[in-house]
Amino acid sequence: SAYISIEGVKYIRAVLKDLHIPYVRIFCSTTFSESEHRRILTSLEELADVYIVHESFLHAKVVEIETVDKGYIRYCGSANMTAGGLRENVELMLKHREQNASLESFWEKLEESSVFVNERVIEAYEQYPKKTTNIQYDKRIEMLQKQLEVVAQEQLMNDYHQIDDFYFNGSDYSIFAERYWQDVSTAVQQQRKITQQKVLTLHERIE
């Protein structure tokens, strides 16, 4: 959901209690709320693995549930997980039932573009501003995006920490991530050269 409020958290909690779903992922946009960020995120953490889609703006409102017979029930439409989306606005959510047709590639793409919510992410939102002027707001959002990117990079490196003693280490693998495709910073270019040289050296030894 693009936006989530405390009312949305309560709704999600009630639905999950009734459905007894063993594993849940929740994806939010960077600007998922203008207030109560800690309360919302910590409450969501109790219910699911929570991700902030920070590399692009998440506008989709999609719910997908896997059934016991490996089918999928999907709700797609306009409603956010907010008081407005759930009960105040005129919204439309369409229900689809599919067999063996998950949106897994969509969820994977979101996860690749996200940062996993932890205390570091929540602390970044502690500095998130209430909307004042558009210029001030945009600058603060830009700073928040950069903070989330730093945390995402830390998480990515943690995923690779077990291969640090291998020929290709975490830095070599992470440099292929989509977030670096157009990055021309000195550090990224240096890492590209290191990884490229490793590939060339390996190729020469194989020949």
Side-chain angles (χ1 to χ4, degrees):
S1 180
Y3 303 105
I4 296 183
S5 66
I6 288 299
E7 289 81 358
V9 174
K10 292 177 181 177
Y11 178 81
I12 294 170
R13 180 180 286 112
V15 169
L16 293 179
K17 182 178 180 180
D18 292 337
L19 293 180
H20 306 288
I21 298 174
Y23 176 66
V24 180
R25 285 182 295 181
I26 295 176
F27 294 91
C28 314
S29 71
T30 305
T31 53
F32 66 91
S33 178
E34 291 188 3
S35 62
E36 298 190 285
H37 302 101
R38 175 174 288 277
R39 184 183 175 194
I40 292 171
L41 291 177
T42 54
S43 297
L44 288 175
E45 281 185 303
E46 297 172 358
L47 305 173
D49 285 346
V50 187
Y51 298 84
I52 302 294
V53 183
H54 69 287
E55 291 189 0
S56 56
F57 179 67
L58 173 64
H59 195 259
K61 293 85 174 177
V62 184
V63 177
E64 185 175 72
I65 303 170
E66 183 177 359
T67 61
V68 292
D69 61 350
K70 299 302 179 181
Y72 296 90
I73 297 173
R74 192 174 303 133
Y75 297 89
C76 306
S78 63
N80 286 300
M81 287 293 174
T82 61
L86 293 171
R87 64 173 183 269
E88 296 172 4
N89 302 337
V90 178
E91 306 280 3
L92 177 65
M93 296 295 288
L94 299 179
K95 180 179 179 181
H96 306 267
R97 190 181 293 271
E98 303 280 353
Q99 192 67 32
N100 301 319
S102 171
L103 292 176
E104 188 58 33
S105 60
F106 173 71
W107 304 122
E108 288 178 355
K109 178 63 177 177
L110 286 187
E111 191 166 331
E112 290 172 2
S113 305
S114 301
V115 58
F116 182 74
V117 172
N118 57 18
E119 183 59 28
R120 289 267 282 118
V121 171
I122 295 173
E123 287 175 357
Y125 274 96
E126 300 279 76
Q127 305 171 41
Y128 183 87
K130 292 185 177 180
K131 192 163 186 177
T132 52
T133 68
N134 287 335
I135 294 177
Q136 290 176 330
Y137 184 74
D138 289 344
K139 287 183 178 179
R140 297 286 182 86
I141 294 301
E142 184 178 347
M143 292 175 62
L144 175 62
Q145 292 273 21
K146 290 180 178 179
Q147 287 180 284
L148 294 180
E149 176 59 32
V150 169
V151 179
Q153 178 62 19
E154 291 174 355
Q155 292 177 0
L156 181 63
M157 295 309 299
N158 286 337
D159 289 340
Y160 287 127
H161 78 281
Q162 294 182 348
I163 62 171
D164 283 345
D165 294 330
F166 286 67
Y167 183 72
F168 290 110
N169 58 33
S171 296
D172 295 314
Y173 283 100
S174 65
I175 203 65
F176 290 102
E178 185 175 351
R179 60 172 62 94
Y180 296 123
W181 288 358
Q182 299 182 28
D183 192 327
V184 294
S185 65
T186 301
V188 169
Q189 292 191 68
Q190 287 177 343
Q191 183 58 52
R192 286 196 189 108
K193 290 180 180 179
I194 292 171
T195 305
Q196 181 184 47
Q197 187 57 52
K198 285 185 178 182
V199 173
L200 292 173
T201 301
L202 182 62
H203 182 69
E204 291 172 356
R205 291 181 181 179
I206 292 175
E207 288 186 330

